[in-house]
């Protein structure tokens, strides 16, 4: 029968923010309080005292508190039963994410999170897609900076072709006060580095479960680990992006291609390093961390001392308010494809005849853009669930196609624009 358009299931809370006492969870609460008018929501975590302290620390009043612990199944079920949508901010998700997903499906509660861990989100797809589909529940991971700008940006770019054959995205972070990250973010990355073997096994199993996409057309896109990129105004070196963007976009492409009968678009994700000195520093720290985490003592030392191992980039304190206010990002897409005429005629055997450059930009990525995106995702689930189609485990661009999700994040300062080619004036 489906949910009504407003998707209010008559539950106590429209949204519950789980992991509200964490660094990002606090900022998600602030975003909810400021930009979810009329929505009754609650803050949740395993310690009532810590959650209340977090609420006080960000200056909020009259926020309901729900006590729930990932290690206590009954408390998770009780939390999810009280909410239409759960925002999960508790990482690393490979350790703490699955109980929340499982409880949401059991209670018919929609789920969004801020993970950037491919092993977790693809394992959830493998183990829970059928159950979520049967329960008509949407499980949507990577609704923060990983990987809304990449996933929604790729979809925006594709809208300017008859068929987009390939695209590369280049992330640049700009800061007048120095970019910084929180230790939990670093912890997720460290555990992800060690999950390569597991991820390969998961993908082998998913190959039999996922629908069959149409193979790509045009020249094969070459993906490089490190190279100089002359097309960017910043110039200099770029490196393959280590986050979830490529995984998310490729998942989106598989399902889009299978549903439409059109070829997949190829995709590669990079981030801008700049000069050779920065490239050397990156390589040195990456190799040192990889070597250290190959044995237990080394991994403990890395996780306990993120500032030492990243030259101050990540710390237990995280970025200051001043640093976040002075930081922004741009993600530039360079894409090639075929015109409307060639795509309609099926004439896509040769080289692409159209080039488009687009850009997604916004405020500080990890702790400002992420709350913007994940709260918009939760509100979309709450307000437009009927438009989201059958349930299942999906990427953001698949789950929110045909909804007002993109308009929500644009309103909050995430900008989409065409720099070259494409449709005039598109935003």
């Amino acid at each position: 029968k489906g949910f009504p358009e407003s998707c209010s299931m008559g539950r106590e809370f429209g949204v519950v923010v789980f992991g509200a006492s964490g660094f990002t969870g606090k900022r998600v609460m602030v975003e909810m309080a400021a930009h979810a008018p009329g929505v009754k929501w609650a803050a949740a975590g395993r310690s009532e005292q810590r959650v209340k302290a977090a609420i006080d620390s960000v200056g909020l009043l009259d926020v309901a508190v729900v006590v729930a612990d990932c290690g206590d199944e009954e408390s998770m079920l009780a939390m999810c039963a009280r909410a239409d949508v759960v925002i999960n901010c508790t990482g690393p998700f490979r350790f703490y994410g699955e109980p929340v997903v499982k409880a949401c499906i059991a209670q018919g509660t929609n789920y969004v999170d801020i993970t950037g861990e491919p092993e977790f989100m693809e394992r959830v797809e493998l183990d829970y897609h059928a159950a979520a589909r049967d329960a008509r529940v949407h499980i949507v991971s990577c609704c923060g900076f990983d990987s809304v700008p990449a996933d929604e940006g790729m979809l925006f770019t594709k809208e300017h072709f008859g068929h987009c054959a390939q695209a590369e995205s280049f992330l640049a972070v700009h800061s007048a006060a120095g970019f910084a990250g929180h230790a939990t973010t670093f912890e997720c990355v460290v555990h992800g580095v060690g999950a390569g073997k597991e991820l390969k096994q998961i993908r082998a199993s998913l190959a039999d479960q996922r629908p069959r996409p149409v193979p790509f057309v045009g020249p094969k896109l070459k993906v490089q680990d490190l190279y100089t990129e002359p097309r960017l105004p910043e110039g200099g070196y770029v490196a393959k992006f280590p986050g979830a963007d490529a995984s998310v976009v490729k998942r989106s492409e598989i399902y889009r291609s299978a549903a439409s009968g059109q070829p997949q678009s190829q995709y590669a994700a990079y981030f801008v390093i700049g000069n050779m000195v920065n490239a050397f520093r990156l390589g040195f720290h990456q190799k040192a961390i990889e070597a250290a985490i190959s044995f237990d003592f080394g991994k403990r030392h890395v996780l306990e001392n993120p500032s030492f191992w990243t030259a101050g980039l990540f710390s237990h304190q995280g970025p200051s308010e001043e640093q976040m206010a002075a930081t922004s990002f741009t993600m530039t897409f360079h894409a090639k494809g075929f015109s409307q005429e060639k795509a309609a005629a099926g004439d896509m055997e040769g080289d692409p005849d159209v080039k488009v450059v687009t850009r997604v930009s916004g405020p500080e990525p990890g702790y400002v853009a992420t709350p913007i995106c994940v709260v918009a995702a939760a509100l979309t689930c709450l307000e437009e669930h009927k438009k989201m189609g059958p349930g299942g485990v999906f990427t953001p661009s698949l789950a929110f196609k045909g909804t007002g999700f993109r308009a929500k994040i644009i309103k909050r300062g995430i900008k989409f624009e065409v720099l070259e080619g494409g449709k005039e004036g598109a935003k």
Side-chain angles (χ1 to χ4, degrees):
K1 294 180 181 179
F3 295 107
E5 193 66 25
S6 67
C7 194
S8 174
M9 293 183 278
R11 295 185 176 180
E12 185 178 358
F13 303 111
V15 176
V16 165
V17 179
F18 182 60
S21 63
F23 189 85
T24 309
K26 292 177 185 178
R27 302 194 67 85
V28 171
M29 287 197 296
V30 172
E31 181 73 13
M32 280 294 303
H35 299 285
V39 175
K40 188 176 181 183
W41 64 279
R46 64 182 178 179
S47 167
E48 182 177 10
Q49 183 178 359
R50 287 186 63 189
V51 173
K52 286 182 175 179
I55 294 168
D56 291 342
S57 73
V58 293
L60 299 181
L61 300 172
D62 301 322
V63 177
V65 174
V66 175
V67 177
D69 187 337
C70 289
D72 181 348
E73 183 178 5
E74 290 303 316
S75 73
M76 296 305 301
L77 290 168
M79 177 187 76
C80 293
R82 299 171 71 182
D84 292 334
V85 184
V86 168
I87 299 176
N88 188 9
C89 302
T90 304
F93 287 80
R94 64 183 286 118
F95 301 128
Y96 306 117
E98 185 175 355
V100 191
V101 170
K102 187 176 179 181
C104 280
I105 294 172
Q107 301 290 35
T109 303
N110 289 305
Y111 167 101
V112 296
D113 70 32
I114 58 170
T115 188
E117 302 168 45
E119 183 271 339
F120 166 75
M121 64 184 185
E122 295 195 39
R123 175 162 47 84
V124 167
E125 180 190 358
L126 176 65
D127 293 343
Y128 293 99
H129 181 69
R133 180 193 61 217
D134 293 345
R136 300 190 1 236
V137 168
H138 285 87
I139 305 296
V140 193
S141 286
C142 288
C143 292
F145 182 72
D146 275 329
S147 291
V148 166
D151 198 31
E152 196 69 20
M154 181 66 173
L155 183 60
F156 174 77
T157 303
K158 285 167 67 72
E159 292 165 0
H160 300 280
F161 290 90
H163 174 68
C164 175
Q166 58 180 243
E168 298 165 290
S169 68
F170 300 91
L171 168 64
V173 177
H174 315 275
S175 181
F179 175 72
H182 190 264
T184 302
T185 305
F186 178 66
E187 185 178 354
C188 295
V189 173
V190 169
H191 287 297
V193 169
K197 185 176 180 180
E198 297 170 65
L199 186 56
K200 286 182 180 180
Q201 294 171 343
I202 290 168
R203 287 176 175 170
S205 298
L206 277 169
D208 296 326
Q209 177 177 300
R210 287 171 171 166
R212 293 287 183 265
V214 180
F216 66 82
V217 294
K220 184 175 181 179
L221 179 62
K222 182 181 179 182
V223 181
Q224 304 178 71
D225 290 328
L226 178 70
Y227 73 102
T228 55
E229 178 48 75
R231 293 175 293 178
L232 299 179
E234 299 93 341
Y237 285 87
V238 299
K240 186 165 66 174
F241 183 62
D245 289 354
S247 173
V248 171
V249 172
K250 289 175 181 179
R251 283 177 62 207
S252 296
E253 283 300 310
I254 289 170
Y255 282 89
R256 264 198 292 266
S257 172
S260 67
Q262 298 299 310
Q264 295 180 81
S265 299
Q266 302 174 81
Y267 174 73
Y270 298 96
F271 68 102
V272 178
I273 300 172
N275 58 40
M276 187 180 293
V277 174
N278 289 340
F280 175 79
R281 287 174 177 168
L282 173 70
F284 172 79
H285 285 286
Q286 180 179 343
K287 294 298 183 184
I289 291 170
E290 288 176 353
I293 66 174
S294 62
F295 54 96
D296 291 341
F297 172 78
K299 179 178 282 190
R300 287 197 302 273
H301 194 276
V302 168
L303 294 175
E304 290 170 2
N305 302 277
S307 184
F308 172 81
W309 286 93
T310 64
L313 183 62
F314 292 93
S315 69
H316 292 289
Q317 293 74 36
S320 67
E321 293 294 330
E322 292 74 20
Q323 283 177 306
M324 288 186 282
T327 302
S328 62
F329 79 90
T330 57
M331 184 175 286
T332 305
F333 291 77
H334 284 261
K336 300 177 183 178
F338 298 92
S339 63
Q340 294 283 357
E341 294 76 16
K342 282 199 169 187
D347 181 16
M348 297 186 289
E349 294 297 326
D351 290 335
D353 65 335
V354 175
K355 294 182 180 180
V356 174
V357 181
T358 65
R359 182 169 62 199
V360 181
S361 58
E364 191 278 337
Y367 313 104
V368 180
T370 286
I372 288 171
C373 292
V374 78
V375 168
L379 295 180
T380 302
C381 288
L382 187 67
E383 299 163 358
E384 302 182 76
H385 187 274
K386 191 174 179 180
K387 294 180 181 178
M388 292 169 60
V393 177
F394 295 114
T395 64
S397 73
L398 292 174
F400 303 132
K401 180 183 179 182
T403 71
F405 173 70
R406 189 187 299 174
K408 283 180 171 64
I409 62 175
I410 289 173
K411 186 177 180 180
R412 290 288 297 117
I414 309 297
K415 187 176 182 181
F416 295 76
E417 56 190 325
V418 178
L419 303 183
E420 296 178 26
K423 299 174 184 177
E424 292 296 326
K427 297 291 184 217

